[in-house]
Amino acid sequence: LLYDGRCSLCREASARLVRLARPGAIRRQDYHEAGALAPFAGVVTPEDCERAMQLVATDSRQRARLEGTDAIAAALGTRPAWRLVVWIAFVPGVRHALRAVYRAVARRRHRCQHSTANRRVAGDLAIKEMLHEEALAESPVAVKILRE
């Protein structure tokens, strides 16, 4: 799992995702670290990693790559307890809404960087505000979710 280590939101989210996945199934790597992308040359670029977290399968000859919400769903799918959630995440309308929300957060993630003391409260408010703005432009399903 390649993530933006310069972003506290990305560091926390990727660490949580690894904890939720089956132990040992997902290894996380800050893509800014020297040589982090070398094993994935031709598969993942720094621009890909800047846009969204990247999950690259390393157990096959072909390097399958998933990004954003698809990467999250695949990581969660390593545990049977999460498989229903993963299935729901891939339902077409839900998938579209989740992708819109992910893109909105990813584009503005650096605005959510706050001190440790107020990061959670201010970050949650900033995320909700930007999701609302983005959802109005991108997905009627996301608007409905945000209003609830």
Side-chain angles (χ1 to χ4, degrees), residues 4-130:
D4 182 358
R6 295 179 183 165
C7 166
S8 63
L9 180 66
C10 302
R11 285 191 308 269
E12 290 177 21
S14 64
R16 181 171 293 140
L17 186 57
V18 169
R19 284 192 307 272
L20 292 173
R22 183 175 41 82
I26 307 294
R27 186 177 57 97
R28 65 192 270 264
Q29 175 75 46
D30 175 0
Y31 87 90
H32 293 289
E33 290 180 7
L37 295 179
F40 312 110
V43 178
V44 180
T45 66
E47 292 78 20
D48 294 332
C49 294
E50 190 61 30
R51 183 179 57 248
M53 71 172 64
Q54 306 290 315
L55 183 63
V56 183
T58 58
D59 59 350
S60 65
R61 285 188 218 175
Q62 292 183 338
R63 301 272 180 171
R65 176 178 64 93
L66 297 170
E67 72 175 37
T69 55
D70 292 344
I72 293 167
L76 292 175
T78 63
R79 281 203 190 226
W82 288 103
R83 292 213 174 119
L84 178 60
V85 172
V86 171
W87 182 83
I88 291 169
F90 280 103
V91 170
V94 174
R95 188 176 194 191
H96 177 76
L98 291 174
R99 283 179 170 177
V101 169
Y102 186 97
R103 282 192 307 270
V105 172
R107 275 197 296 268
R108 296 173 181 89
R109 70 185 182 274
H110 297 291
R111 291 187 202 172
C112 298
Q113 314 277 333
H114 301 282
S115 70
T116 305
N118 69 0
R119 180 180 63 220
R120 214 172 216 106
V121 173
D124 288 348
L125 292 173
I127 288 170
K128 187 171 182 179
E129 179 181 308
M130 70 179 117

